[in-house]
């Protein structure tokens, strides 16, 4: 079985998040914490929709002007939605975390995100 971002996982600290999205609640939250002097690179995202609704799920960084990595359409239907960003991944804003923002409650499913932390600034003592 092929391992996602295997090269990055051997050189950098891997990070991943699994979030259960309950249809009765707003799942908006930070799902991967920021680390000072590091940039998160997202390599893959999968959203398994189990309850359809006219709500969107947005995966973005926690910067004041957020970088949107992925967004589902409203009423995406049941089943998997996959986003792949290659071995190197796509970077977030340096020193920022990764967040899930929902347009509202109603959509249910499971979200899985994989990536890695890469040092983006010199660490001083």
């Amino acid at each position: 079985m092929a391992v996602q971002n295997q090269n990055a996982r051997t050189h950098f600290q891997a990070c991943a998040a699994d979030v259960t999205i309950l249809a009765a609640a707003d799942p908006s939250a930070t799902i991967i914490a920021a680390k000072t002097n590091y940039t998160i690179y997202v390599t893959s995202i999968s959203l398994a929709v189990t309850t359809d609704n006219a709500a969107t799920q947005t995966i973005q960084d926690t910067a004041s002007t957020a970088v949107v990595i992925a967004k589902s359409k409203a009423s995406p239907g049941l089943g998997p939605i996959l986003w792949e960003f290659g071995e190197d991944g796509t970077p977030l804003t340096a020193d920022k975390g990764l967040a899930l923002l929902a347009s509202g409650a109603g959509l249910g499913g499971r979200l899985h995100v994989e990536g890695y932390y890469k040092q983006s600034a010199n660490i001083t003592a």
Side-chain angles (χ1 to χ4, degrees):
M1 173 199 270
V3 176
Q4 292 290 332
N5 71 331
Q6 184 174 1
N7 189 40
R9 285 178 184 237
T10 60
H11 291 93
F12 305 108
Q13 180 185 354
C15 59
D18 287 296
V19 178
T20 298
I21 301 169
L22 301 174
D26 182 352
S28 298
T30 298
I31 57 175
I32 297 178
K35 286 178 66 174
T36 303
N37 298 320
Y38 286 84
T39 299
I40 296 171
Y41 284 76
V42 176
T43 55
S44 67
I45 301 170
S46 60
L47 173 63
V49 179
T50 56
T51 304
D52 194 14
N53 186 47
T56 60
Q57 306 296 311
T58 304
I59 297 93
Q60 64 185 42
D61 69 18
T62 57
S64 56
T65 303
V67 173
V68 175
I69 301 300
K71 185 174 184 173
S72 71
K73 64 181 183 176
S75 296
L78 300 179
I81 302 169
L82 305 172
W83 293 274
E84 297 290 337
F85 301 101
E87 181 89 8
D88 293 333
T90 187
L92 305 182
T93 304
D95 301 328
K96 299 300 178 187
L98 184 67
L100 168 63
L101 296 176
S103 63
L107 190 136
R110 184 82 171 158
L111 176 71
H112 178 75
V113 180
E114 292 186 10
Y116 60 94
Y117 291 100
K118 183 176 180 182
Q119 188 175 338
S120 54
N122 290 334
I123 298 174
T124 57

